[in-house]
Amino acid sequence: MRADALAKTFRLGFFRKRVEAVRDVGFDVNRGEVFGFLGPNGAGKTTTLKMLMGLVFPTRGRAEVFGLPVPSLAAKRRLGYLPETPYFYDYLSPEEFLDLVGALSDVPPVERRKRRDRLISRVGLDHARGRPLRKFSKGMLQRVGIAQALMGEPELVVFDEPMTGLDPVGRKEIRDLILELRAEGRTVFYSTHILTDVELTCDRVAMVFAGTIRSVGPLGELLSARLLSTEVCLRPGAQGLPPLPAGASQHRAVEGVAVNLPEGTDVDAFLSAALAVGAHVLSVSSHKESLEDLFIREAAQA
Amino acid sequence: MRRVLAIARNTFREAVRNKILYSLLFFAVLLILSALALGSLSLHEDVRMTRDVGLFGIDAFGVLIAIFVGVNLLYKELDLKTVYTILPKPLHRWEFVLGKWLGMLMTLAVQLAVMGLVLGLTLVAQDASFDLAMAKALWLLYLNVIVVTSIAVFFSAFSSPFLSGFFALGCFIVGRAVPDLRALGKASGGVARILFEAGCTVVPNLHLFYPSGAIVGAQVASIHRDFVGADYMIWTTLYGLGYSLVVLILAMLIFRKRDFV
Ligand SMILES: Nc1ncnc2c1ncn2[C@@H]1O[C@H](COP(=O)(O)OP(=O)(O)OP(=O)(O)O)[C@@H](O)[C@H]1O
Ligand SMILES: [Mg+2]
């Protein structure tokens, strides 16, 4: 899937006030990877996805799926999409709804029934398969949404914020599902602002701020590998604590004292000094740049 | 076509599970029946009465339900954002509109059939029969409903349900008066005449579908006699379906260009 310098300007109200929802968004999603699309609220993630799905026509730029222009049937046949707002026909049960989706995806009836039952179990809705969607909770609807996206056995799965509305167990289930989909050889593209999920699942990410892409690439490359700081937890010994190196700070921890050593400090020397004064070393942990640090750094620059 | 039918079937199912439509139909049947009961008390010729009042009631309620269905069922997809899920599926936007439309026609056919059945049973109870003239009249009313629905769908492809309903009702009222408006246009001159002519060309001539009392051929069409001939039925059917298709294609073109935000 490729977004090529996509832009969308909405015009609002009587005076046709311009709202630049997306200014310049470009990236390539490779086959078989999990791609995370990150950005704060209102950054233009949903609008970009809608352009990629052919729901909204871009003001500028081009969207392509499998090298085919959007929206073409050939492209749509190979993708599954979960919209941000999971509203479905609320008078249908999950079974009926998935059946409809299967019919639209040209799945033959017998296969349709099998696939539908498999998917309902896969998203954990066996207990509610015959109930009308009107009576579903938000998280349950989200699961129906994921099931319907997979009904056509798509090579590319596009989720707009798949984890919202799910409890911690549900979130973990979706993370596992995403990894399973990758293991099956599918490509997964999803937007989110839950950074831990991204760190746990994504191969590559793109970050969008105020409608503009700021960074695209493998997570490992985007996060600078350098050590930001090291935290050492100590229980003071008979002679108290060793002298703190320049720039270090200390604060009370659950047991003992946590000492924060800035980048470039000789950690080994500090540890020997601590042992020399009889202190107990409880833990040593190093802090690399996290996705959150990167996100906040980029957001500040944007 | 399978995809169009899947959408149509789902639209029909939506209507069947919609309580408002049930109550409308129930109300219509109740009102028609009570009008018939009142009529048979006061008049001698109760079979004539049954036919006239019955068809009038079916016409009025049919159009009302048609506008309700036409305006709501497409708009609801946009309002409740179900289009976001459906349109990225491998189907064309026009197939979606066509499916919605066919589903509406199925719904309205059932509604009209139920009202027709009630009318037929009333006639049988009065020792009369549901004859060919009645069947023809009912088919014409269904065509009328198809045209009105298509117009409602057209408006709802770009405006709110309230406005769409308003415009569709306006088209219906003007459409029924087309012969009168034409005459009025001919009587006046200049700009007025051109305006009337133009208006009568754009708005469908819905009077064709309710010909009781109109001069068809050499005689007055009456539901109590032969009503209208086969050629009238064929031409009117073609006209109704043709007009509806043109309006529907316009709706599809508008839908094709829309952003779904
Ligand atoms: N239909 C619309 N008309 C006008 N402006 C819009 C429209 N849709 C979105 N916008 C604007 O475009 C910007 C991007 O919106 P979008 O929904 O794409 O953000 P997002 O990244 O998905 O945010 P979130 O994380 O909250 O879902 C916002 O400033 C929003 O106000
Ligand atoms: Mg969004």
Side-chain angles (χ1 to χ4, degrees):
Chain A
M1 183 162 75
R2 151 177 287 176
D4 190 7
L6 285 175
K8 180 71 191 179
T9 306
F10 291 111
R11 304 200 161 255
L12 275 190
F14 185 70
F15 294 105
R16 317 293 287 157
K17 196 167 140 303
R18 291 160 57 94
V19 178
E20 291 190 63
V22 175
R23 295 199 171 115
D24 179 14
V25 168
F27 52 76
D28 277 291
V29 179
N30 304 326
R31 262 173 216 248
E33 71 180 359
V34 178
F35 194 101
F37 193 41
L38 311 182
N41 291 129
K45 301 183 294 295
T46 299
T47 309
T48 304
L49 287 191
K50 282 184 179 167
M51 288 192 274
L52 287 163
M53 295 301 110
L55 287 168
V56 166
F57 295 99
T59 315
R60 263 177 287 120
R62 250 171 77 81
E64 257 177 31
V65 179
F66 300 108
L68 300 159
V70 172
S72 66
L73 280 204
K76 290 203 275 188
R77 227 169 248 132
R78 295 162 71 181
L79 64 84
Y81 170 59
L82 165 73
E84 181 174 36
T85 42
Y87 291 125
F88 311 114
Y89 300 109
D90 61 3
Y91 49 90
L92 298 181
S93 67
E95 287 185 342
E96 290 168 325
F97 181 55
L98 290 185
D99 218 49
L100 169 67
V101 168
L104 293 178
S105 311
D106 284 329
V107 184
V110 179
E111 167 66 15
R112 204 146 81 205
R113 208 159 320 123
K114 271 195 247 153
R115 217 181 267 182
R116 166 192 92 186
D117 293 344
R118 209 166 50 225
L119 281 171
I120 290 179
S121 308
R122 192 166 182 184
V123 297
L125 286 176
D126 271 317
H127 62 290
R129 49 172 50 233
R131 228 188 280 171
L133 296 177
R134 191 181 319 120
K135 302 196 171 135
F136 273 41
S137 73
K138 187 171 169 357
M140 286 162 82
L141 279 179
Q142 190 76 12
R143 289 158 192 259
V144 175
I146 287 167
Q148 64 81 27
L150 300 177
M151 195 62 196
E153 304 225 306
E155 292 163 56
L156 167 67
V157 187
V158 177
F159 292 148
D160 198 350
E161 301 196 15
M163 326 280 189
T164 45
L166 295 180
D167 57 33
V169 178
R171 257 176 64 191
K172 163 133 177 41
E173 283 170 5
I174 299 305
R175 277 203 307 262
D176 292 345
L177 178 88
I178 288 175
L179 295 177
E180 276 168 37
L181 290 172
R182 181 177 64 181
E184 288 166 16
R186 304 183 208 281
T187 312
V188 183
F189 178 97
Y190 75 96
S191 83
T192 185
H193 29 229
I194 305 179
L195 300 173
T196 33
D197 292 336
V198 174
E199 281 176 326
L200 289 170
T201 53
C202 290
D203 302 310
R204 292 201 309 142
V205 297
M207 287 194 188
V208 58
F209 294 94
T212 312
I213 286 277
R214 301 277 311 179
S215 38
V216 192
L219 261 182
E221 276 175 29
L222 290 183
L223 303 179
S224 60
R226 63 174 206 246
L227 212 55
L228 290 181
S229 64
T230 308
E231 190 176 77
V232 181
C233 275
L234 299 169
R235 181 149 2 99
Q239 296 146 43
L241 288 172
L244 292 187
S249 61
Q250 72 172 65
H251 58 92
R252 287 203 57 79
V254 185
E255 10 171 12
V257 178
V259 178
N260 206 318
L261 304 172
E263 186 185 352
T265 314
D266 187 346
V267 178
D268 293 341
F270 178 71
L271 287 177
S272 343
L275 293 174
V277 294
H280 280 283
V281 178
L282 298 171
S283 69
V284 179
S285 48
S286 54
H287 287 245
K288 298 226 173 83
E289 183 175 43
S290 70
L291 188 55
E292 185 171 306
D293 299 325
L294 174 67
F295 190 84
I296 288 169
R297 192 178 64 191
E298 292 282 8
Q301 282 170 22
Chain B
M1 205 55 202
R2 186 149 29 130
R3 300 186 294 252
V4 175
L5 289 181
I7 298 282
R9 198 171 141 249
N10 188 48
T11 308
F12 181 71
R13 191 159 47 178
E14 175 176 4
V16 168
R17 295 183 188 178
N18 186 330
K19 290 194 190 69
I20 301 177
L21 271 178
Y22 272 122
S23 0
L24 258 175
L25 182 63
F26 180 72
F27 187 63
V29 167
L30 206 71
L31 221 70
I32 294 172
L33 280 180
S34 53
L36 291 175
L38 272 181
S40 61
L41 283 182
S42 57
L43 283 171
H44 300 294
E45 271 198 291
D46 47 348
V47 174
R48 277 187 91 89
M49 181 72 191
T50 304
R51 288 206 174 110
D52 285 336
V53 173
L55 284 180
F56 179 82
I58 293 179
D59 181 41
F61 278 101
V63 167
L64 214 69
I65 295 175
I67 291 179
F68 178 80
V69 164
V71 158
N72 273 302
L73 291 192
L74 185 61
Y75 179 80
K76 247 169 90 179
E77 299 263 358
L78 309 179
D79 193 39
L80 298 182
K81 306 183 192 310
T82 41
V83 273
Y84 296 167
T85 314
I86 297 303
L87 290 184
K89 299 281 174 266
L91 87 164
H92 295 288
R93 285 185 178 189
W94 65 262
E95 291 178 319
F96 178 72
V97 178
L98 183 63
K100 288 307 284 186
W101 184 75
L102 284 177
M104 293 177 197
L105 296 198
M106 278 156 66
T107 309
L108 291 162
V110 171
Q111 304 254 346
L112 247 63
V114 169
M115 291 193 275
L117 189 72
V118 171
L119 181 56
L121 289 178
T122 315
L123 284 170
V124 169
Q126 292 172 329
D127 285 334
S129 67
F130 189 87
D131 54 11
L132 184 62
M134 287 297 284
K136 284 179 181 168
L138 213 56
W139 171 250
L140 290 182
L141 290 188
Y142 183 50
L143 283 172
N144 182 69
V145 156
I146 293 179
V147 175
V148 172
T149 309
S150 312
I151 292 174
V153 167
F154 167 74
F155 282 118
S156 78
F158 59 91
S159 62
S160 73
F162 180 76
L163 275 182
S164 309
F166 184 76
F167 286 136
L169 188 64
C171 280
F172 168 69
I173 292 168
V174 175
R176 268 295 156 81
V178 159
D180 299 333
L181 292 176
R182 273 231 162 90
L184 207 64
K186 288 219 171 72
S188 52
V191 185
R193 182 177 187 147
I194 297 169
L195 278 180
F196 272 112
E197 267 306 316
C200 292
T201 315
V202 176
V203 173
N205 182 356
L206 295 179
H207 195 263
L208 292 174
F209 305 114
Y210 200 83
S212 252
I215 312 271
V216 176
Q219 55 180 337
V220 177
S222 164
I223 189 70
H224 311 297
R225 271 180 274 114
D226 296 336
F227 201 45
V228 289
D231 51 345
Y232 182 91
M233 292 301 291
I234 291 171
W235 283 116
T236 324
T237 301
L238 288 178
Y239 173 75
L241 294 182
Y243 189 94
S244 302
L245 276 183
V246 170
V247 174
L248 191 67
I249 288 170
L250 288 179
M252 288 171 178
L253 289 177
I254 293 171
F255 213 69
R256 207 172 96 113
K257 293 269 176 263
R258 263 191 81 145
D259 275 344
F260 294 104
V261 289

